[in-house]
Amino acid sequence: MDDAANSGISEPLDLVKLSLGERVFIKLRGDRTVTGVLHAYDAHMNVVLSQVEETIHIVDVTEDGNPLPPRIEKRNLEMLFVRGDGVILISPTQQ
Amino acid sequence: MNIKIQDSTHSTRYIDIYITQRTFDASQLFIMLIFSFFKTLTDQVITVELKNDLSITGTLKSVDQFLNIRLDGISVEDPERHPHMLAVKNCFIRGSVVRYVRMAARSVDTTLLEDATRREAKEAKK
């Protein structure tokens, strides 16, 4: 835990604070993930990101109820606000 | 809670808002950051994506502390899926049903936003 002590992490949101200006990976409710450069966050985990890539994982079901192989949909957005109530996790990405 | 936005450059707008906020207590400060951010987007065209996948584009007229949003001159991204929205020209969106808000990158000063976030994080910790 030396790394954490040296970088001044004392509470969970400090990890997010250290990611300001860096690319982060965010997992959201509804089988969505986004990556983007973090510019703002608050205690609700509302975030503002730029250069965003959103990925939606879709599992279609056939008429008799059998799932088809998962399908992935991607979208790019230049600037995005994400409401905090949909956030599951925020993680720094290593470039 | 009266925040004045002076007719200054983009950079001083965040600062003006930040100074006004200092009269509130620290726990409230953090809540104010994103609210202030949306205030700076007033009169810009934004797209609000709701949790039911409805996407509404319009001019941001006002926002409040719950991030409720009022939009003018709206259009719906997929009118065939949502024909009942065609006649609606302006609307009020409850903050809690919003999933995303998309905006143009040029309408945001990212450096200033990061600085304000760092300050707010520091204040909230005290």
Side-chain angles (χ1 to χ4, degrees), chain B residues 76-126:
Chain B
V76 170
E77 205 158 85
D78 192 355
E80 279 162 27
R81 247 182 86 196
H82 310 279
H84 55 287
M85 290 297 292
L86 279 174
V88 186
K89 290 287 162 272
N90 53 68
C91 67
F92 173 91
I93 301 167
R94 185 178 154 102
S96 65
V97 303
V98 173
R99 179 189 291 136
Y100 300 134
V101 178
R102 311 204 288 264
M103 64 220 82
R106 63 180 142 66
S107 52
V108 181
D109 186 327
T110 53
T111 320
L112 225 39
L113 193 53
E114 284 170 28
D115 289 347
T117 307
R118 283 195 190 91
R119 274 195 304 247
E120 303 271 297
K122 210 169 144 193
E123 288 290 324
K125 240 181 160 179
K126 279 180 190 165

Side-chain angles (χ1 to χ4, degrees), chain B residues 6-18:
Chain B
Q6 273 142 21
D7 56 334
S8 44
T9 61
H10 210 76
S11 59
T12 46
R13 284 163 90 194
Y14 284 115
I15 294 162
D16 288 347
I17 294 164
Y18 181 69

